[in-house]
Amino acid sequence: MGGERNGHVEKSTILIPQVKFTKLFINGEFVDSISGKTFDTIDPRSEEVIAKVAEGDKEDVDLAVKAAREAFDHGPWPRLPGSERRRIMLKFADLIEQNLEELAAIDAIDAANLYSLGKMMLINNGIEQFRYYAGAADKIHGETLKMSRQLHGYTLLEPVGVVGHIIPWNFPTQMFSMKVAPALAAGCTMVVKPAEQTPLSALFYAHLAKLAGVPDGVINVVPGYGSTVGAAISSHMDIDMVSFTGSTVTGHRIMQAAATSNLKQVCLELGGKSPFIVFDDADVDKIAPLALNACLFNQGQICVAGTRLFIQEGIYDKFVARLLELLKTWVVGDPFDPNVNQGPQVDKKQFERVLSYIELGKKEGATLLTGGKPLDRKGYYIEPTIFTDVTDGMTIAQEEIFGPVMSIMKFKSMEEVIKRANSIKYGLAAGIMTNNLDTANTVSRSIKAGAIWINCYFAFDNDAPLGGYKMSGFGKDMGMDALHKYLQLKSIATPIYNSPWL
């Protein structure tokens, strides 16, 4: 195994860990599925089977929900002082840190996350999310209400109950921590369905949670397919809320299932087709690498990827030329090679999907400037691909590809680019590159998206909520907004008599 650099294959010295956890995790124990069935999880670098994982089904979800319901209704977790939940969550974070390299390797073989990036950033981000929400666990407070009648009123914040987390495959660790950490801090219990493409690290985290002292039944992990496990969670009558990150198509199905079952709460972080807007006054040498990374990071498999690159006409030619220069040093290869910038797509289905969009772009009249082909080697590798002469109505400019494909478009005025940036069904994120404060303020307030990054990109932070407008969904991950979505607000009033004050 190794990355390709200047025609040479570089071997990795990383020791691939033995997969330890492949069964369902229900009520504090690793168990086989009721059916006894398993499915293969595939290494996208080699197209070979990593492990056979227990395949959950509706009956397994029923057992997991029963355990989570018992843990919520009668167990200690929702009733612990917040300070005790904090202590256990901090221990959980410490255990993740102690296993950081192994977890980074697991996500590299299962999801093709770059190993060096996993060690330096991705796993650490998950650790810090647990620490962030641990710090909030003992600071969940209601308010005292100044009533207009002779009443004393106050509010309580109570955990919403049993939560179903359905997480995607692109960043297994971060998506696990982004959902589980605030729900734990709130006092909820949960059933987690990791993506069928990338189930391994979620099972490892379930093991660490038990070691940290999270009571049995609080975290249950049921790998399986969306059509079975995901559908069972979405329609389950004893789940109080579903939190989902994934495609808009699946988001529709989850809302329908929630509505026709017990009208459970739903939080959806769905697709994106984010504009990356570069004005004439931007520094080309500074912004071009940012634009390239905004599109190609994690093989383009990130919901906020800046795949629609709008460049103002005054610097268009210079900017495109700089992108092509940068691509000469862009390395596609094995995620364990520290010199590699881009690994393989997650699986064969996604690989073929991306290639089909590239063919569609050519068919609809866009100019293929560079890339567009799979690498001539084993694994799901695709060249970084740039299209020019892209019009707003083209499929590659409208639909989320989730691959290393950039559409470049030229614009003249601020008013024009605002209109074009908004002419899409998605509204997750946007990048605005300008040195003019008035331009930055006007455009940032005009773009219909949940996260706007000015002269930066991927500016994620635990304090900054992330969520979409329009068909990119609703509800927030990260920030205190994420904690509060797992809490119910209850108002309480009682009469007061003979008080000198209302």
Side-chain angles (χ1 to χ4, degrees):
M1 54 184 183
E4 292 189 3
R5 191 173 185 84
N6 300 324
H8 300 290
V9 176
E10 300 184 7
K11 296 295 183 182
S12 171
T13 58
I14 305 299
L15 182 65
I16 306 300
Q18 181 181 1
V19 176
K20 300 172 183 173
F21 308 106
T22 59
K23 296 184 178 184
L24 315 183
F25 187 80
I26 297 177
N27 204 25
E29 301 293 336
F30 284 103
V31 296
D32 292 319
S33 60
I34 291 174
S35 69
K37 291 193 295 184
T38 63
F39 65 95
D40 295 336
T41 186
I42 304 296
D43 186 338
R45 305 168 308 143
S46 63
E47 306 176 42
E48 295 173 358
V49 176
I50 305 167
K52 292 186 178 294
V53 178
E55 181 184 335
D57 210 329
K58 182 181 183 301
E59 293 76 15
D60 302 290
V61 172
D62 288 340
L63 286 179
V65 173
K66 182 179 179 181
R69 175 54 61 192
E70 178 68 21
F72 185 79
D73 288 348
H74 305 292
W77 189 252
R79 294 160 188 85
L80 288 177
S83 57
E84 183 64 9
R85 287 203 299 274
R86 177 189 65 201
R87 183 191 66 79
I88 293 171
M89 290 180 68
L90 289 174
K91 186 175 181 183
F92 190 4
D94 290 344
L95 288 169
I96 297 172
E97 192 167 44
Q98 291 168 25
N99 291 272
L100 186 150
E101 291 195 1
E102 185 170 358
L103 287 161
I106 288 172
D107 282 350
I109 60 172
D110 213 17
N113 293 158
L114 297 185
Y115 177 70
S116 57
L117 189 70
K119 284 203 306 178
M120 289 186 298
M121 186 178 77
L122 300 180
I123 309 300
N124 276 314
N125 286 352
I127 293 166
E128 289 308 312
Q129 283 177 334
F130 277 102
R131 288 174 176 159
Y132 178 88
Y133 289 107
D138 61 348
K139 301 171 184 67
I140 297 172
H141 308 301
E143 296 180 332
T144 301
L145 306 176
K146 183 69 169 68
M147 310 285 270
S148 60
R149 300 164 53 199
Q150 288 185 324
L151 296 168
H152 172 62
Y154 61 96
T155 61
L156 293 176
L157 293 173
E158 300 177 346
V160 72
V162 176
V163 179
H165 296 298
I166 304 175
I167 61 178
W169 44 257
N170 54 343
F171 294 101
T173 285
Q174 288 183 301
M175 292 300 168
F176 181 92
S177 58
M178 192 181 291
K179 304 292 187 187
V180 171
L184 278 179
C188 295
T189 62
M190 61 209 71
V191 178
V192 181
K193 181 215 168 295
E196 57 267 28
Q197 297 89 340
T198 57
L200 298 179
S201 58
L203 295 168
F204 200 116
Y205 288 121
H207 163 70
L208 295 181
K210 178 153 186 169
L211 292 182
V214 175
D216 293 349
V218 173
I219 298 177
N220 304 274
V221 180
V222 183
Y225 293 96
S227 59
T228 50
V229 175
I233 288 172
S234 303
S235 61
H236 205 287
M237 294 297 291
D238 218 12
I239 287 180
D240 301 299
M241 176 185 179
V242 172
S243 180
F244 169 72
T245 296
S247 72
T248 299
V249 171
T250 303
H252 277 289
R253 297 189 188 120
I254 289 171
M255 279 201 73
Q256 290 168 350
T260 56
S261 55
N262 60 344
L263 211 62
K264 60 177 65 65
Q265 295 184 43
V266 177
C267 175
L268 303 174
E269 196 263 88
L270 306 176
K273 194 73 179 175
S274 301
F276 188 107
I277 304 169
V278 186
F279 287 90
D280 279 344
D281 63 342
D283 184 331
V284 172
D285 290 331
K286 179 181 178 182
I287 300 302
L290 202 62
L292 200 65
N293 196 53
C295 179
L296 301 181
F297 180 72
N298 200 48
Q299 299 75 257
Q301 297 173 156
I302 180 168
C303 53
V304 295
T307 53
R308 290 189 298 152
L309 177 56
F310 290 94
I311 307 171
Q312 200 163 16
E313 59 184 359
I315 60 168
Y316 179 88
D317 291 338
K318 183 179 179 182
F319 201 94
V320 172
R322 184 68 183 123
L323 286 174
L324 290 176
E325 285 179 21
L326 291 168
L327 270 181
K328 292 176 183 176
T329 63
W330 189 267
V331 183
V332 181
D334 193 303
F336 285 97
D337 184 340
N339 298 309
V340 160
N341 304 103
Q342 176 187 321
Q345 308 310 124
V346 73
D347 64 3
K348 185 177 182 181
K349 181 180 178 181
Q350 186 64 20
F351 173 77
E352 292 176 344
R353 182 176 186 268
V354 174
L355 291 175
S356 71
Y357 271 108
I358 292 171
E359 290 305 309
L360 194 56
K362 292 189 288 187
K363 183 179 179 181
E364 291 186 353
T367 299
L368 180 63
L369 188 64
T370 186
K373 301 187 297 295
L375 265 64
D376 185 18
R377 58 174 294 179
K378 204 167 187 180
Y380 306 121
Y381 297 92
I382 297 175
E383 294 175 338
T385 301
I386 296 178
F387 281 102
T388 56
D389 302 315
V390 178
T391 60
D392 295 324
M394 289 181 178
T395 305
I396 59 170
Q398 287 289 321
E399 296 187 11
E400 184 177 44
I401 299 172
F402 232 56
V405 182
M406 176 187 288
S407 296
I408 300 182
M409 293 167 277
K410 187 187 297 185
F411 74 94
K412 293 182 178 180
S413 68
M414 178 173 64
E415 293 73 22
E416 175 200 341
V417 79
I418 289 170
K419 182 178 179 180
R420 293 174 66 189
N422 285 331
S423 64
I424 198 162
K425 65 183 179 181
Y426 297 114
L428 193 53
I432 303 166
M433 309 299 142
T434 179
N435 291 317
N436 186 304
L437 183 60
D438 291 337
T439 299
N441 284 336
T442 300
V443 179
S444 62
R445 290 168 183 253
S446 302
I447 299 292
K448 295 181 175 67
I452 309 291
W453 297 315
I454 300 171
N455 295 328
C456 59
Y457 211 77
F458 298 139
F460 299 115
D461 190 88
N462 285 328
D463 273 314
L466 177 69
Y469 283 26
K470 300 188 285 187
M471 291 183 75
S472 289
F474 50 84
K476 301 295 181 182
D477 288 313
M478 301 199 295
M480 295 306 289
D481 295 78
L483 177 71
H484 283 91
K485 78 181 180 186
Y486 297 110
L487 295 165
Q488 296 270 31
L489 180 66
K490 176 186 287 183
S491 62
I492 299 174
T494 182
I496 52 173
Y497 302 101
N498 302 317
S499 172
W501 310 105
L502 282 181

